[in-house]
Amino acid sequence: MTRDKKRKAAIRETRVQTGRRYTRVAREMTAAAEREPNGFLLSQLLTECATVAPADVDWGYDSELAPEVFFSRLLGGAVPYGTVLELAGSLAQEGRSARLTVESMSPLEEAVVVCGNRRFQLILTQDMARELCQTPACRSGQPGWAFLHCSSHLPDCSDDALVSMTEDWAYSFKTDAGRDVDRLEGSTEADLLIRAATANGTYERVSKALLDSLFVAPEALDDMFWSDEETLAMQHAIERERLRLYNVARTEARRLWKVFGACVSCGGPFNAYGWDPSVPSRFCSAKCVRPAPCPSPDSATAERPASPRPAEEPAL
């Protein structure tokens, strides 16, 4: 079968599966095939957005409820003008020279584009774009602007990346909270960071970075307030949060012990009464720790092998 016949056969198959018109499917598949492997610049996409006329799309429902779209040769399908502008806003710091590549494209549904380490989901049914977890193929969003990954993939981060995210989030949250100390305690984002740190053995570094950034470093406490009452209130808040975070971490460690079942290095049991915050929760002790990617605990299978195999990680 010649290349042209294969292309026409693929178009017909797609038309049958989707019920869409042959010419529209052919145009979109041709545009997708012509996309440059090295991607394109944000400025090129913005030029399309500013110059290409609106496209006529059969949404299958009242067109007044649908966004105004144009056909993008770069993306290989119809995309709302507003979605491109949302993406441009998210990439404002990178500028118009930011290079984008298409990870996936589902016509009239969504597209995923990548810029450096950042991934964005372009919603093609409304004027919206949202940043995704940086883990390839993951469709989960980020818990907050400072987070590079979703909650399930946070444990995959390196120690330094997790500490950096912690500091960025904490300083931002502290600015929003102002002098309302009560708001600084018990946040969901802090719990996510602590659980990730427990999984990869960086609890002490992350908890210190969190408390110092969210509240104030101990050595600077006396210089922050004019009254002893305010100083004492801050001290109490720090200690309450320190204890709360420790309990969150210990509970997470026990949960992970149940998930993994046994030490992934030696196959031995976990010491339920001697949690070591510096040891990743998939190992029984520091002597079993070896350099290895930290698997996301939430993706662990419910079934575990009958007898642990010392040289292998569990299937996650």
Side-chain angles (χ1 to χ4, degrees):
M1 184 181 289
T2 65
R3 180 180 300 177
D4 189 55
K5 288 182 178 180
K6 288 181 179 179
R7 183 181 69 86
K8 290 181 178 178
I11 293 172
R12 284 195 296 270
E13 182 179 354
T14 302
R15 183 186 65 81
V16 171
Q17 292 177 351
T18 62
R20 302 171 65 215
R21 290 188 299 207
Y22 181 94
T23 53
R24 181 173 288 117
V25 173
R27 184 173 59 180
E28 292 179 358
M29 293 184 68
T30 300
E34 290 176 350
R35 285 200 298 264
E36 297 181 10
N38 293 327
F40 51 88
L41 301 181
L42 176 61
S43 60
Q44 293 175 286
L45 183 60
L46 287 173
T47 298
E48 278 192 339
C49 182
T51 59
V52 177
D56 180 19
V57 173
D58 181 11
W59 294 97
Y61 54 84
D62 190 347
S63 60
E64 293 184 358
L65 302 177
E68 191 172 38
V69 301
F70 68 96
F71 184 84
S72 170
R73 182 187 64 82
L74 298 171
L75 293 172
V79 58
Y81 292 97
T83 296
V84 173
L85 297 179
E86 282 278 333
L87 175 65
S90 298
L91 293 173
Q93 291 187 338
E94 285 76 1
R96 291 169 59 87
S97 60
R99 181 165 290 278
L100 303 169
T101 57
V102 179
E103 179 181 299
S104 65
M105 176 63 169
S106 299
L108 302 185
E109 293 180 5
E110 68 165 27
V112 176
V113 297
V114 180
C115 179
N117 292 328
R118 302 176 69 184
R119 301 170 63 245
F120 295 88
Q121 180 187 36
L122 308 184
I123 310 299
L124 305 183
T125 57
Q126 53 187 304
D127 298 315
M128 188 173 73
R130 68 175 187 133
E131 189 160 3
L132 297 175
C133 171
Q134 291 188 5
T135 303
C138 180
R139 286 295 193 276
S140 299
Q142 300 168 330
W145 73 267
F147 292 75
L148 303 180
H149 296 272
C150 65
S151 57
S152 295
H153 289 115
L154 273 179
D156 298 338
C157 298
S158 67
D159 300 0
D160 291 340
L162 195 56
V163 170
S164 178
M165 277 187 281
T166 299
E167 292 174 341
D168 289 344
W169 172 81
Y171 281 127
S172 176
F173 190 77
K174 179 180 179 180
T175 301
D176 292 339
R179 300 182 70 85
D180 186 356
V181 178
D182 292 338
R183 286 188 58 191
L184 301 179
E185 300 180 55
S187 67
T188 301
E189 293 86 352
D191 290 359
L192 291 176
L193 291 163
I194 288 298
R195 292 190 183 104
T198 303
N200 61 23
T202 56
Y203 167 77
E204 292 174 335
R205 283 190 65 191
V206 171
S207 62
K208 184 180 187 308
L210 184 60
L211 293 171
D212 289 355
S213 304
L214 195 57
F215 297 92
V216 60
E219 58 271 16
L221 190 59
D222 292 335
D223 299 327
M224 289 292 295
F225 304 102
W226 291 97
S227 69
D228 292 338
E229 289 79 6
E230 287 184 299
T231 301
L232 187 60
M234 179 61 76
Q235 286 178 326
H236 286 171
I238 293 173
E239 293 309 313
R240 284 195 302 269
E241 185 69 356
R242 190 192 311 278
L243 178 60
R244 193 190 72 82
L245 294 177
Y246 182 85
N247 288 331
V248 169
R250 187 169 56 179
T251 299
E252 178 66 4
R254 290 171 175 170
R255 185 187 76 83
L256 292 175
W257 291 341
K258 293 180 180 178
V259 170
F260 288 103
C263 175
V264 300
S265 180
C266 70
F270 295 110
N271 184 356
Y273 301 99
W275 172 54
D276 186 344
S278 65
V279 176
S281 297
R282 63 192 187 279
F283 299 110
C284 64
S285 64
K287 66 180 181 181
C288 281
V289 177
R290 62 182 186 276
C294 179
S296 300
D298 288 340
S299 63
T301 56
E303 296 182 2
R304 294 183 293 271
S307 58
R309 291 171 290 183
E312 298 182 5
E313 297 274 0
L316 299 185

